[in-house]
Amino acid sequence: MATVSLNGIKKTFGKIDVIHGIDVEIEDGEFIVIVGPSGCGKSTLLRMVAGLETVTEGEIKIGGARVNDREPMDRDIAMVFQNYALYPHMSVFDNMAYGLKIAGTPKAEIAERVNEAATLLQLSDYLQRRPRELSGGQRQRVAMGRAIVRKPSVFLFDEPLSNLDAKLRVQMRLEIKQLQRRLGVTSLYVTHDQVEAMTLADRMIVMNGGRADQIGAPLEVYANPQTEFVAGFIGSPPMNFLPSEIEPDAPEGARTLGVRPEHLRIASSGTPATVVYSEALGAETLVHVTLPQGGQATVRQDAVIPLPAEGAAVHLEWNATDRFFFDAEGRRR
């Protein structure tokens, strides 16, 4: 186990700046999720920690030691990839043991480590099978087992659940979280799925265009987004963005008013809107409306509340404590 420090990390490909300076201190045993849309630089950042990409500027420390110039094998890290990266001709046992064999680990210790990891991951009955004989979830467990047996200081996960179906992703999220808690290993996890980020992270780094727009605990980021991008990216359905002029007391320089769907209410008075359609989702309903001033909004309400008819004229209201204002650039609250 180890701390990880990223100090002023920048990455340039030719004349293109990809990472614009990331600073974060990751505590021993902490689970950090790097989240953002495609092309935001999250995988590039992870690959620099792994040593698979060079650092253009800045310093990476693992366990207090500078690792910028160290090879991946010398960084005491283990990586789990999106596509599992298993050897198809090898058994589960041999896939998990391969790194230890290359390192010259004694056979008895290899067997002990592999069997221990297999028990932890519920793979004991599959050790002699080939990857093609396993489900997607089992293959991902093998990939994690290969990382676990090395007993690294840091786990790196690069979108490990992207190839799984929705139900299995939920199950594997829980398993990864429980596993990380049990092992207590410092972990960096990359995903584009904000639900994964919210449920897994101790803290998350929300990436936007090569910058860390916000770093914080999931509920802290959700409740107090510092930029318009973070407010819209974190949360499902996303935050509603409305013209700031519909609020008489909007601060000077504000361009956009943000209100989360659960904080909007259909009322007898307030801001007029027209119902476009409603989605009944079981325990809740999403009501989609348009506003005369321009823009659309989504209202999240309990399913027991009667659905308004499509095309119905309604009014929206919200509490002053539940609103956010963003400047013309969208960079600041």
Side-chain angles (χ1 to χ4, degrees):
M1 296 184 288
T3 58
V4 178
S5 300
L6 307 182
N7 301 310
I9 300 301
K10 295 183 180 181
K11 178 64 179 178
T12 301
F13 289 109
K15 296 182 178 180
I16 300 174
D17 295 330
V18 178
I19 304 293
H20 300 276
I22 305 294
D23 294 278
V24 62
E25 297 291 328
I26 301 168
E27 298 177 6
D28 188 6
E30 192 173 17
F31 198 124
I32 294 287
V33 176
I34 307 169
V35 61
S38 297
C40 71
K42 56 187 184 296
S43 289
T44 299
L45 183 61
L46 190 79
R47 289 171 63 83
M48 284 193 286
V49 176
L52 301 176
E53 294 283 357
T54 57
V55 177
T56 303
E57 187 177 326
E59 186 176 61
I60 297 175
K61 291 183 177 180
I62 297 177
R66 188 179 188 274
V67 298
N68 288 44
D69 302 320
R70 291 187 184 180
E71 294 296 323
M73 64 181 292
D74 298 323
R75 296 192 181 199
D76 197 17
I77 54 98
M79 195 161 181
V80 179
F81 297 92
Q82 176 181 350
N83 62 355
Y84 319 133
L86 301 177
Y87 296 107
H89 64 288
M90 291 185 181
S91 67
V92 168
F93 182 96
D94 289 336
N95 265 283
M96 292 171 65
Y98 186 72
L100 298 178
K101 290 180 180 178
I102 294 298
T105 306
K107 287 185 177 181
E109 184 178 347
I110 291 175
E112 181 181 352
R113 288 199 198 182
V114 171
N115 286 318
E116 182 181 353
T119 300
L120 191 64
L121 295 165
Q122 300 177 20
L123 289 171
S124 298
D125 295 335
Y126 305 96
L127 289 175
Q128 299 310 314
R129 294 192 184 184
R130 301 288 190 273
R132 66 175 179 273
E133 300 173 286
L134 305 176
S135 67
Q138 289 167 336
R139 292 179 195 178
Q140 194 55 274
R141 286 195 190 96
V142 175
M144 288 191 290
R146 182 177 54 194
I148 289 169
V149 297
R150 294 184 55 196
K151 297 186 177 179
S153 295
V154 179
F155 281 142
L156 305 178
F157 296 89
D158 191 5
E159 304 206 43
L161 307 184
S162 295
N163 290 337
L164 305 180
D165 61 55
K167 184 177 181 180
L168 191 52
R169 280 203 304 271
V170 173
Q171 177 186 337
M172 289 300 296
R173 272 204 315 259
L174 177 62
E175 292 184 10
I176 288 174
K177 184 72 172 182
Q178 291 176 328
L179 182 65
Q180 193 270 343
R181 283 284 180 265
R182 199 174 305 160
L183 297 174
V185 179
T186 308
S187 299
L188 279 72
Y189 184 108
V190 161
T191 182
H192 63 274
D193 187 332
Q194 55 94 15
V195 175
E196 272 184 31
M198 290 288 292
T199 55
L200 283 172
D202 294 325
R203 285 189 298 156
M204 55 189 185
I205 303 172
V206 186
M207 296 286 293
N208 177 25
R211 293 179 172 85
D213 259 24
Q214 190 166 351
I215 301 174
L219 293 181
E220 172 194 334
V221 173
Y222 184 83
N224 292 293
Q226 296 303 304
T227 68
E228 187 174 321
F229 171 81
V230 172
F233 189 79
I234 301 299
S236 181
M239 181 178 285
N240 298 299
F241 296 113
L242 310 173
S244 62
E245 57 263 26
I246 67 176
E247 283 280 33
D249 61 343
E252 184 178 353
R255 180 195 64 176
T256 306
L257 164 70
V259 186
R260 292 209 178 274
E262 62 268 27
H263 294 149
L264 285 180
R265 298 182 299 276
I266 294 176
S268 57
S269 62
T271 301
T274 302
V275 175
V276 180
Y277 70 101
S278 299
E279 294 180 277
L281 302 177
E284 65 182 18
T285 298
L286 302 181
V287 182
H288 302 273
V289 303
T290 57
L291 281 70
Q293 298 91 341
Q296 298 181 329
T298 300
V299 181
R300 174 187 269 156
Q301 63 180 28
D302 292 339
V304 295
I305 300 175
L307 288 177
E310 292 184 11
V314 297
H315 292 84
L316 303 179
E317 65 176 14
W318 53 87
N319 297 332
T321 54
D322 294 326
R323 64 187 182 174
F324 301 87
F325 290 102
F326 299 94
D327 65 13
E329 300 298 326
R331 295 296 308 170
R332 293 184 295 111
R333 281 264 294 280

